Amino acid sequence: MSQLEKLSRRHYLISKLSAAFLYALAVAVALNFFWSPGKIYASGITGFAQIIQSVSERFMPFTLSTSVMYFVLNIPLFILGWCKIGHRFTIFTIIAVLLGSIMMRVIAPIKITYDPIICALFGGVINGVGTGIALKSGISTGGLDVLGIILRKKTGKSFGQINIFFNLIIVICAGFVFGWTRALYTALNIFVNGRVIDAVYTQHQKMQVFIVTEHPKHIIEGIQRKMHRGITIFHDVEGAYSHTEKTVLMTIIDRYDMFDIYNIVIQSDPYAFMSVSEVDKVYGRFKEQKPV
């Protein structure tokens, strides 16, 4: 393995772990500083873990903490992700969820405010930023991400429809446990959280990539082997500065593919020029790439 490949792999690993740590910190702060004091439920698996803690506090002789249940509820989803999605994807998901569970336990709760509206807004924003950064870095935060990918493949339903269904259950549970006023604040928190995630990262956003290179063969082989993407080739392109013959490659990818295509290009041609822009719509045959 060349020195450049080692540096690329190291950068890849550091970026993934950093994103997982930032997500873990964000979800722990949102939970311990805002959601728990405000008696507000989060979205997804975190919300279900909070429901279990609330029910155990009221009706059981012992309490099942949110931090423990957050990890336990994700275990079946780890198995599904490992079998149905991909090993690398699942490993980084486990790391993110494990760090989140530890942070929930380690970071001491601080009762900043009991105002439910402030708790809903700030909790949703902080968790949304952390989750968005994680997804933007190509890792999952567990829970509905994993379940959504699998159910979408089986049923054809969108992530939005799947999230609405499960989060509706959380809102109803919040109404029965804390009252319907708190259910309204829970719905507000879930809405804010979702909007912030979308602002930081759109999960299925398509990206148009232009690559100017003198070594197109290796890049094409790497993209087709790793991502199975179609590529349009522009031959006989001349660089205005060096007046050397180059080739331009154009392809459309999912944002999930960004780290992979970057590494492929850098390893194949360190001097290649790559331009990436967001795409509003794609028509024709485009295969959704599953994260690995």
Side-chain angles (χ1 to χ4, degrees):
M1 184 183 298
S2 67
Q3 187 67 25
L4 184 61
E5 288 175 332
K6 289 180 180 179
L7 289 173
S8 296
R9 286 176 181 268
R10 187 180 303 170
H11 177 268
Y12 176 85
L13 182 61
I14 291 174
S15 65
K16 296 274 189 181
L17 294 177
S18 298
F21 178 79
L22 286 173
Y23 162 73
L25 183 63
V27 71
V29 169
L31 175 70
N32 292 332
F33 292 8
F34 298 102
W35 292 334
S36 293
K39 292 181 169 51
I40 292 171
Y41 288 144
S43 60
I45 293 298
T46 309
F48 281 111
Q50 288 177 276
I51 290 170
I52 293 175
Q53 175 171 326
S54 299
V55 171
S56 65
E57 285 176 341
R58 290 195 176 194
F59 304 110
M60 298 172 68
F62 55 88
T63 300
L64 298 170
S65 69
T66 299
S67 59
V68 173
M69 294 312 302
Y70 171 68
F71 187 81
V72 170
L73 290 174
N74 270 292
I75 291 176
L77 301 175
F78 295 154
I79 298 171
L80 282 173
W82 186 271
C83 298
K84 300 291 185 180
I85 302 177
H87 294 175
R88 189 187 306 173
F89 172 84
T90 306
I91 288 171
F92 282 112
T93 300
I94 293 172
I95 292 172
V97 171
L98 179 61
L99 286 174
S101 183
I102 292 172
M103 287 292 189
M104 290 177 190
R105 198 77 171 177
V106 170
I107 295 179
I110 298 177
K111 298 174 183 177
I112 296 177
T113 177
Y114 286 106
D115 187 315
I117 294 181
I118 294 177
C119 289
L121 293 175
F122 277 82
V125 169
I126 291 171
N127 184 71
V129 170
T131 303
I133 290 173
L135 293 173
K136 194 171 185 178
S137 299
I139 67 173
S140 167
T141 57
L144 297 185
D145 291 344
V146 177
L147 197 60
I149 291 171
I150 295 171
L151 289 178
R152 183 172 60 86
K153 291 179 180 294
K154 296 293 184 182
T155 66
K157 300 291 185 182
S158 69
F159 273 101
Q161 291 173 311
I162 295 168
N163 284 335
I164 287 171
F165 173 76
F166 284 103
N167 288 328
L168 182 61
I169 296 175
I170 293 173
V171 172
I172 293 171
C173 290
F176 280 111
V177 175
F178 294 128
W180 295 106
T181 302
R182 296 288 175 173
L184 176 62
Y185 297 136
T186 295
L188 174 63
N189 168 72
I190 292 172
F191 174 77
V192 171
N193 182 70
R195 296 294 291 179
V196 173
I197 291 174
D198 285 343
V200 177
Y201 171 75
T202 303
Q203 191 162 13
H204 292 293
Q205 185 145 38
K206 305 298 183 292
M207 313 298 292
Q208 181 173 266
V209 181
F210 279 95
I211 304 164
V212 182
T213 176
E214 294 181 20
H215 306 284
K217 181 179 178 181
H218 298 298
I219 296 176
I220 292 170
E221 289 176 351
I223 292 173
Q224 292 181 335
R225 181 179 64 253
K226 182 72 176 178
M227 293 176 283
H228 308 289
R229 293 300 184 199
I231 303 168
T232 300
I233 305 173
F234 299 89
H235 293 289
D236 301 325
V237 177
E238 181 181 339
Y241 179 76
S242 61
H243 297 286
T244 56
E245 184 177 316
K246 298 180 183 292
T247 301
V248 176
L249 309 176
M250 190 277 284
T251 185
I252 303 294
I253 63 173
D254 283 320
R255 191 183 284 273
Y256 266 128
D257 296 325
M258 277 303 304
F259 280 97
D260 286 332
I261 198 169
Y262 172 79
N263 287 328
I264 289 170
V265 172
I266 290 300
Q267 290 170 17
S268 302
D269 183 2
Y271 300 100
F273 175 83
M274 185 166 68
S275 170
V276 182
S277 58
E278 297 178 359
V279 175
D280 185 34
K281 292 185 182 296
V282 176
Y283 298 98
R285 292 188 299 173
F286 180 83
K287 180 182 177 182
E288 293 284 357
Q289 182 76 359
K290 67 181 181 179
V292 292

